[in-house]
Amino acid sequence: MLHSRSQAHTTTTACHLRRLVNFVEPRRDDVCLDVSGASGLATAIRPWVGELTSATAGSLPSGSFTLVVAPLGHTRGDDQIGLVRDLLRVCGGRVVLVDLVRTRAGDGDRIERLRDPDRTRMHTFHELLTLVERAGGRTRRMDVFTVERPIDPWLAEAHDPDRILQELTAELDGGPPTGARPRLIGSELWFTQSWGYFAVEPKSRPRRRRGVS
C-alpha cells in the first residue's frame, strides 16, 4: 500500500512537472533563472537550456535572462507585486509565474497554510491577472488546471497533519467544504489542487503580431 501511494505521488509530480516544462517552452539558447526552485523545474529544465541559474526571491541576480520561472506562494502581500516587477526588469524574454489558484470550493488557501505556515494566501484567477497588471506586466498565455493527489505524501512535511486530516474527513462526512475537494479512491484519501501558469511580459514591450514569433 505504501509503495502504491509513493508511486502515485511520483507519477502525479512527474506529470505536473512535464506540463510546466511544456508550458515554459525552453530553448537551447535560453539563459534561464529559476527562482526558489519552482516545483523542481531546475532539474527538469537543465538539459533544455543553454545556461541556468537558481536564486531566491529575496536575492535576484543582476544579470539579464531570456527565461525566468518563479512561484509566488511564499512571497507575502504587496511583495508579490514587487517580485513580479523585478522579474520583468531582469528578463528580456519570457517570465512564467507559477501559483496555486483559489477556487469557489471552500477556503483552500487556509488548508495550504495549515500544511505550510510560510505560505501566503492563494489568489483567484482574476486576482492573479490583476497582480500582474499592477506590477507593470500583461499576461500573454495561461494554463489553469486541477491536479488530484494522494494525501499522505503531501502531509509528510505538514505543520499540523492531524488537523488537516480531521477537516478533510469531516468534509467527506458532510461537513463544511475545505477547498481541498477530498475523496476516497479505494481506501486512500486523495485531494485536489488548482494550479495556474502565467506567461507574462512588460506592458511597455510592443505586442506581438499574429504569425510573428
Side-chain angles (χ1 to χ4, degrees), residues 76-119:
R76 293 192 176 279
D78 289 341
D79 290 344
Q80 291 182 328
I81 296 174
L83 172 61
V84 174
R85 185 180 295 119
D86 288 343
L87 295 177
L88 292 170
R89 175 178 51 80
V90 302
C91 186
R94 297 107 67 210
V95 174
V96 175
L97 304 176
V98 179
D99 203 6
L100 288 166
V101 178
R102 182 175 179 177
T103 69
R104 296 179 179 178
D107 189 8
D109 59 339
R110 190 180 65 82
I111 289 292
E112 293 289 342
R113 290 197 304 274
L114 281 178
R115 176 181 180 267
D116 181 0
D118 290 332
R119 182 179 173 82

Side-chain angles (χ1 to χ4, degrees), residues 23 94-97 138-143 197-201:
F23 182 85
R94 297 107 67 210
V95 174
V96 175
L97 304 176
R138 61 170 170 251
T139 302
R140 291 185 51 249
R141 292 185 297 121
M142 65 197 74
D143 184 12
Y197 303 152
F198 301 83
V200 306
E201 64 183 10

Side-chain angles (χ1 to χ4, degrees), residues 101-112 122 146-151 154-155 164-165 167-169 171-172 176-183 189-194:
V101 178
R102 182 175 179 177
T103 69
R104 296 179 179 178
D107 189 8
D109 59 339
R110 190 180 65 82
I111 289 292
E112 293 289 342
M122 285 159 47
T146 58
V147 176
E148 196 169 34
R149 306 172 58 182
I151 196 72
W154 183 75
L155 286 178
I164 294 173
L165 280 174
E167 294 197 17
L168 297 185
T169 301
E171 181 177 356
L172 287 174
T178 62
R181 289 164 281 178
R183 73 183 182 108
L189 181 61
W190 287 54
F191 75 109
T192 300
Q193 293 173 319
S194 294

Side-chain angles (χ1 to χ4, degrees), residues 32-65:
C32 178
L33 174 64
D34 174 43
V35 180
S36 300
S39 304
L41 179 69
T43 301
I45 205 173
R46 190 176 297 277
W48 304 101
V49 298
E51 184 178 336
L52 186 142
T53 300
S54 295
T56 63
S59 58
L60 295 178
S62 58
S64 180
F65 300 89

Side-chain angles (χ1 to χ4, degrees), residues 149-162:
R149 306 172 58 182
I151 196 72
D152 286 350
W154 183 75
L155 286 178
E157 298 179 0
H159 178 72
D160 194 351
D162 292 338

